Amino acid sequence: LIRSPPGLRVPIQSHRINLDYCEAKNLGPVSGPNRQRDLCTFCTISLDQEEVFRTKVYDKSVSPFYGEDFYFEIPRPFQCLSFYVYAKSVFQRDLPVGKVSIRKDDLCKYSGKEHWLSLQPVDPNSEVQGKVHLEMRLNEVITENGSVGQHLVVRIIECQELPLISGQNCDPYATVSLVGPARSDQKKTKVKKKTSNPHFEETFFFEVTRSSSYSKKSHFQVEEEDIEKLEIKVDLWNNENLAQDVFLGETRVPVKILRNDHIHKAWYLLQPKGNGSKSKSDDLGSLRLKLTYIEDTVLPSACYTPLCNLLLKSPDVKPISASAAHILGDIYRERYEAVLPMVRLLLHHNRFVPFVSAVAALELDNTQEANTIFRGNSLATRCIDDMMKIVGKNYLAVTLKPVIDEICESNKTCEIDPVKLKEGDNVEVNKENLQGYVQKVFSSITQSSSTCPPLMCDVFRSLRHLACKRFPADPHVQYSAVSSFVFLRFFAVAVLSPHSFQLRSHHPDPEIARTLTLISKTIQTLGSWGSLSKKLSSFKETYMYDFFKSFQEDKCIEKVKKVFFVHRISCVCVRVSFYREVQKRAQGRKRLGKKNFKKRWLRVTNRELSYHKQKGKEALCTINVKNIKAVEKLDESAFNRKNMFQVVHSEKPLYVQAGNCVEASEWLEVLGQVSRCNEGRLATFHPSNYTGGAWQCCKNQSNNAPGCKPCTTTMLANLQLDIDCDRETERIFSLLSSNDTKLQDMEDACASMAVYQGPQREQEEYSKFTIQEPKETFQTLKHTAACKSALLSLHATQLHLRTEKSFIILFVSGTTR
């Protein structure tokens, strides 16, 4: 993702991928046909060779339905989007079953449709990516016997985008060979440490002469016409020191290409061994994918001002159903993700709370019974769900991650369903284990009010007030309005699927997943308001009814805890926290080296940033958040490592390497949240490090020299989120453009209702929309159409300019050749 400061942006593109579901069938055996029935598999998603998502393990099936949604924004350039199916192994490394790789240029062909794709074998020699920059030329030389011969000069300049090895930058080197029918002369470059973009700048000389110029002791014989059969072969390897070196890719260039060009200089994509020639393999099965790949062309900020202002005015429109934001949610009821860009835009401009309060009030007006409050999939619940996922991500990490980690690592049996009990299981012991886990999770939640994000508190306070106003005779409704979100839609869902909320790096094993399911059910019931005995009847399972008797006999102490917690989070405002394992560079070291980087647990709260040798242990170093002056990405060239960022504070900068590109973005977002409003924030920073008496980025020799690059634009507001409003408005425009028919139907319905003066008839097309004031809604629709039309024109102009530039480049290239 390319970012530019607001107002200075040129048209750019950002990329998103949404995987709707994934299914496999007829998976082939990993080690012979007898292993087929015991196949436990999972699927991973990788950008090139970097894994960014992993499904849960599907137990003993050759046709698993993984059925998981995964949405992510692509934070870096890539060549292939790959899906790998692995067989889970207990005693050894997980074994690859097969893969499906889709090149970036082909993603549009598969976007938005279902496809069954055949799995291809995973061969280490075919897992290649990257490119190499070569220069070749032929020089004439005079040999010792006076004859004229030729030397082939090959310069390997650099490589780019080599794969990560075990999540880290590789140690690459290259071998350059002159290969022919009767010869093979090989030379080798130096090893470059910890980089995916090595600069070799090495030149090699190969002799190409007549056979008469060689003595009889020569180790090869070359005829003059054999130059047609000679080729330069470049292999890239990762140096493994004591282990066998890993093949990274190869390219072959025929020497005859120099007949027309005295000097040949070009980039070549690395290829698998043997140029990808594959022998016929067994049928490994198929993978069904439905993915959506979206490229947003983001125009300069001024282009989006009319549409953005129309959306931001929504909270002030009376009634709220006539606002542009409500109309967007109304026409996209069936698409949950359509509300997300609108929520992010309102959050950035501090307009979310008044908008969602007005939408919630409209929903409450149509709610007849207090016990059904906020139970449906309405616009209000969708907006609040998205808000909690954005704002409450770090809150979940602080509140639930420690106890979820304990549950996953201790792995106590908690099954209480008599049908699912295994031989030797004691149901009473399992019930005690489950009750212990439930109490830990519930206590962690009810004691977390001081870390609940301020925006969530503001929303909950508004919901509580609206519920009291709508049902004044019910004293409990003010709490159920809040608990229906914070317990049922937030904490219980995160317990059920910790991987989806970044609480665990991978899906839990089936037994642990079952434990989390039972805990989630319990949390939902404890979080629901009302008499606990009434809630017992909601369980369809007898074993859950029996399990809850212990809570009923406890005089509802847990309910009292919940009431106090709900009261606190709907009254007070606090901040967030985050905890994860990273690689940290040792402070004060002058030389580069592997030992300078060590694994540490990095923790951030609203007050301090600290790192620890082990999780939960005493901090080795603590930095006051108020002293953070900048949080920025670090160039890969600084330490020859990817996914690095720096925390600039009052002392020496802290250099940190995240686990992958997605985690690096999360750290930048989290640290930006807690330090965005600090006094004394820097306007510029150094994107590289200070070593050898100078900054490596600008070569300034003063250690205290001002930065040479502008810092990421800060937003001095109460809501501290890094949101690109231009991108979000572009996405809203794309949604509106793809649904012209519904917008026109809504406009026609408004016109008919405003003109027709008789009794209103219940028409099917009217029931699709929420129209309280047809005239006001009609005006908003007209303004929306005008904004959409203007942006369509701007996009058409931009497309024409891009096409014209491409034509000019091709034309000039053709005339030159």
Side-chain angles (χ1 to χ4, degrees):
L1 175 67
I2 306 169
R3 295 185 180 272
S4 299
L8 299 178
R9 166 173 278 156
V10 296
I12 64 168
Q13 285 191 329
S14 63
H15 311 275
R16 296 172 281 144
I17 288 179
N18 182 39
L19 176 67
D20 293 320
Y21 52 76
C22 179
E23 175 186 6
K25 69 177 180 181
N26 302 328
L27 295 180
V30 177
S31 299
N34 295 330
R35 291 286 307 278
Q36 193 167 9
R37 67 181 62 182
D38 298 327
L39 206 61
C40 298
T41 63
F42 61 92
C43 183
T44 67
I45 304 177
S46 297
L47 290 176
D48 296 327
Q49 303 298 311
E50 183 179 10
E51 180 183 318
V52 296
F53 178 72
R54 177 179 294 196
T55 70
K56 64 182 179 182
V57 177
Y58 201 93
D59 196 17
K60 297 181 181 179
S61 173
V62 295
S63 297
F65 180 73
Y66 300 112
E68 298 189 37
D69 297 340
F70 182 56
Y71 169 89
F72 68 103
E73 301 196 17
I74 303 173
R76 63 170 178 80
F78 72 104
Q79 295 181 25
C80 287
L81 178 70
S82 301
F83 301 84
Y84 292 83
V85 177
Y86 287 91
K88 186 68 177 177
S89 178
V90 178
F91 301 107
Q92 58 182 338
R93 188 176 60 181
D94 298 330
L95 302 174
V97 177
K99 69 171 182 178
V100 169
S101 291
I102 305 174
R103 295 196 67 82
K104 179 184 175 182
D105 295 339
D106 297 330
L107 278 173
C108 293
K109 301 177 185 177
Y110 298 94
S111 181
K113 298 178 183 178
E114 295 181 17
H115 293 274
W116 278 104
L117 303 170
S118 298
L119 289 172
Q120 302 299 319
V122 179
D123 179 7
N125 290 330
S126 68
E127 298 292 287
V128 302
Q129 69 178 67
K131 53 188 178 181
V132 58
H133 195 190
L134 299 177
E135 180 183 304
M136 300 167 51
R137 67 179 183 272
L138 281 172
N139 288 345
E140 290 188 352
V141 295
I142 299 177
T143 62
E144 293 180 358
N145 60 6
S147 62
V148 177
Q150 288 182 317
H151 275 177
L152 176 64
V153 183
V154 180
R155 184 164 73 102
I156 178 168
I157 303 171
E158 61 177 320
C159 290
Q160 289 185 1
E161 302 169 10
L162 296 180
L164 301 176
I165 303 296
S166 301
Q168 301 293 328
N169 284 326
C170 53
D171 295 336
Y173 69 90
T175 59
V176 183
S177 306
L178 179 62
V179 181
R183 65 184 290 182
S184 180
D185 191 7
Q186 185 181 93
K187 303 179 186 297
K188 177 181 173 182
T189 69
K190 295 179 180 178
V191 176
K192 300 295 180 179
K193 294 292 186 178
K194 299 300 177 186
T195 179
S196 294
N197 300 301
H199 286 262
F200 293 109
E201 292 292 350
E202 293 191 41
T203 303
F204 302 103
F205 298 87
F206 299 93
E207 193 173 18
V208 180
T209 66
R210 300 173 183 265
S211 59
S212 59
S213 64
Y214 291 95
S215 66
K216 293 182 179 180
K217 297 181 179 180
S218 176
H219 63 282
F220 54 77
Q221 299 292 323
V222 182
E223 301 293 341
E224 183 178 9
E225 63 271 12
D226 280 349
I227 193 171
E228 295 287 337
K229 301 178 182 179
L230 293 177
E231 64 180 5
I232 285 293
K233 178 170 169 278
V234 179
D235 293 276
L236 269 296
W237 299 85
N238 178 56
N239 182 41
E240 291 286 338
N241 293 325
L242 300 178
Q244 183 177 358
D245 292 348
V246 177
F247 175 75
L248 300 179
E250 70 172 29
T251 189
R252 295 170 180 260
V253 184
V255 176
K256 65 182 181 181
I257 200 172
L258 293 173
R259 286 192 178 275
N260 297 324
D261 295 325
H262 180 64
I263 297 179
H264 178 74
K265 188 175 182 181
W267 282 95
Y268 289 92
L269 290 176
L270 294 175
Q271 304 294 329
K273 271 191 177 178
N275 288 324
S277 59
K278 299 176 182 177
S279 59
K280 186 177 180 181
S281 59
D282 296 331
D283 185 9
L284 301 176
S286 304
L287 199 64
R288 181 170 68 125
L289 300 172
K290 183 179 179 182
L291 59 90
T292 304
Y293 175 67
I294 302 171
E295 292 184 358
D296 294 321
T297 301
V298 185
L299 302 173
S301 300
C303 301
Y304 299 106
T305 301
L307 180 58
C308 184
N309 289 341
L310 184 65
L311 291 163
L312 295 177
K313 192 175 67 175
S314 296
D316 303 324
V317 176
K318 306 295 182 183
I320 192 64
S321 61
S323 66
H326 192 284
I327 290 172
L328 177 67
D330 210 18
I331 64 175
Y332 278 102
R333 293 180 184 180
E334 73 283 359
R335 290 183 58 180
Y336 195 90
E337 72 278 4
V339 175
L340 180 60
M342 179 182 69
V343 169
R344 292 175 67 86
L345 187 67
L346 293 170
L347 283 173
H348 180 86
H349 291 279
N350 292 334
R351 300 290 285 161
F352 179 79
V353 175
F355 174 75
V356 82
S357 298
V359 173
L362 176 61
E363 180 177 340
L364 286 174
D365 288 341
N366 298 320
T367 303
Q368 303 304 319
E369 297 183 10
N371 60 358
T372 62
I373 189 170
F374 298 125
R375 286 295 193 266
N377 186 25
S378 63
L379 178 59
T381 58
R382 288 154 63 197
C383 287
I384 297 174
D385 283 350
D386 281 339
M387 179 274 297
M388 291 191 298
K389 289 177 182 178
I390 296 170
V391 178
K393 181 169 56 177
N394 308 314
Y395 175 40
L396 280 177
V398 174
T399 306
L400 289 184
K401 191 173 183 353
V403 65
I404 294 293
D405 287 342
E406 180 185 345
I407 293 170
C408 293
E409 291 164 9
S410 60
N411 197 18
K412 294 180 181 178
T413 305
C414 297
E415 185 56 70
I416 58 175
D417 183 358
V419 178
K420 296 184 178 181
L421 287 173
K422 297 180 180 179
E423 185 178 353
D425 283 350
N426 187 320
V427 68
E428 293 301 322
V429 173
N430 292 356
K431 190 180 293 184
E432 290 181 6
N433 292 338
L434 179 59
Q435 184 168 341
Y437 283 152
V438 168
Q439 288 175 341
K440 284 185 178 181
V441 171
F442 197 74
S443 295
S444 180
I445 293 172
T446 54
Q447 294 171 10
S448 68
S449 58
S450 61
T451 54
C452 185
L455 185 76
M456 290 177 63
C457 295
D458 292 342
V459 172
F460 295 153
R461 182 166 56 250
S462 176
L463 295 178
R464 183 176 169 184
H465 171 73
L466 291 170
C468 286
K469 185 178 179 181
R470 176 66 180 86
F471 299 101
D474 190 338
H476 305 312
V477 71
Q478 59 176 317
Y479 299 110
S480 61
V482 177
S483 61
S484 63
F485 285 103
V486 72
F487 282 100
L488 276 65
R489 294 175 176 269
F490 189 58
F491 284 118
V493 179
V495 170
L496 183 65
S497 182
H499 177 258
S500 300
F501 290 84
Q502 292 83 48
L503 299 178
R504 296 287 293 178
S505 58
H506 300 301
H507 281 283
D509 294 333
E511 289 186 3
I512 297 174
R514 174 61 179 167
T515 298
L516 295 176
T517 300
L518 296 173
I519 296 172
S520 179
K521 286 185 176 183
T522 312
I523 295 301
Q524 289 184 54
T525 303
L526 287 172
S528 299
W529 180 254
S531 172
L532 197 57
S533 59
K534 291 182 181 179
K535 290 300 173 185
L536 293 179
S537 62
S538 64
F539 284 120
K540 296 179 181 180
E541 307 96 335
T542 305
Y543 61 87
M544 289 299 293
Y545 181 92
D546 296 336
F547 172 71
F548 252 86
K549 285 182 179 179
S550 58
F551 289 93
Q552 187 179 17
E553 295 168 357
D554 200 18
K555 296 182 181 180
C556 299
I557 292 176
E558 303 300 329
K559 188 178 73 172
V560 174
K561 288 181 181 178
K562 192 207 72 171
V563 173
F564 181 72
F565 166 70
V566 172
H567 175 78
R568 289 283 304 275
I569 63 173
S570 57
C571 292
V572 298
C573 294
V574 284
R575 295 274 293 278
V576 296
S577 189
F578 198 59
Y579 212 163
R580 189 164 292 175
E581 189 177 30
V582 297
Q583 290 266 7
K584 183 200 72 70
R585 182 177 184 268
Q587 297 275 358
R589 295 287 179 92
K590 294 183 179 180
R591 294 184 302 173
L592 301 180
K594 186 174 181 180
K595 293 183 179 179
N596 288 349
F597 283 87
K598 297 182 179 180
K599 286 188 176 181
R600 293 289 183 259
W601 283 91
L602 196 64
R603 181 174 184 264
V604 61
T605 68
N606 60 306
R607 294 183 297 273
E608 62 186 26
L609 172 67
S610 58
Y611 57 83
H612 312 248
K613 189 171 184 179
Q614 294 180 355
K615 183 181 177 182
K617 298 296 183 180
E618 185 178 354
L620 299 176
C621 179
T622 301
I623 300 170
N624 194 317
V625 165
K626 293 182 179 180
N627 295 332
I628 295 178
K629 298 180 179 180
V631 182
E632 299 290 344
K633 291 182 179 179
L634 197 68
D635 285 350
E636 178 187 344
S637 60
F639 298 104
N640 289 330
R641 288 173 176 253
K642 284 190 172 183
N643 306 321
M644 288 203 65
F645 62 92
Q646 58 180 318
V647 181
V648 184
H649 56 105
S650 53
E651 298 180 10
K652 295 180 179 179
L654 178 66
Y655 298 117
V656 182
Q657 182 185 26
N660 55 53
C661 59
V662 176
E663 285 188 12
S665 298
E666 290 175 352
W667 273 113
L668 289 168
E669 178 183 347
V670 172
L671 291 169
Q673 288 181 26
V674 298
S675 65
R676 194 173 297 278
C677 296
N678 286 354
E679 294 183 1
R681 283 185 61 92
L682 298 177
T684 58
F685 75 103
H686 290 285
S688 190
N689 61 327
Y690 185 86
T691 184
W695 290 100
Q696 298 307 300
C697 45
C698 60
K699 306 304 178 183
N700 196 314
Q701 296 182 357
S702 173
N703 193 15
N704 299 320
C708 56
K709 185 176 180 180
C711 286
T712 303
T713 306
T714 59
M715 177 183 62
L716 298 178
N718 292 329
L719 182 62
Q720 299 167 4
L721 295 174
D722 187 11
I723 295 174
D724 190 331
C725 293
D726 297 341
R727 284 175 58 223
E728 304 306 331
T729 312
E730 170 62 30
R731 292 173 187 177
I732 293 172
F733 159 73
S734 298
L735 290 169
L736 293 172
S737 299
S738 63
N739 244 304
D740 282 337
T741 303
K742 284 189 176 181
L743 287 170
Q744 187 60 52
D745 289 345
M746 193 175 190
E747 188 175 315
D748 293 342
C750 290
S752 178
M753 293 172 67
V755 173
Y756 180 62
Q757 299 299 322
Q760 292 297 320
R761 295 173 294 178
E762 185 66 29
Q763 299 184 27
E764 184 179 352
E765 59 267 23
Y766 294 176
S767 63
K768 297 177 182 177
F769 311 112
T770 304
I771 303 176
Q772 292 177 291
E773 290 290 339
K775 291 184 178 180
E776 187 71 27
T777 306
F778 184 84
Q779 291 298 324
T780 302
L781 286 167
K782 282 296 185 184
H783 291 153
T784 303
C787 295
K788 183 165 64 72
S789 178
L791 281 171
L792 278 171
S793 177
L794 290 169
H795 274 283
T797 302
Q798 183 60 37
L799 179 62
H800 175 71
L801 289 173
R802 288 205 304 269
T803 306
E804 189 177 57
K805 289 178 181 178
S806 300
F807 172 76
I808 292 172
I809 291 171
L810 289 173
F811 179 77
V812 172
S813 177
T815 55
T816 301
R817 294 186 64 82

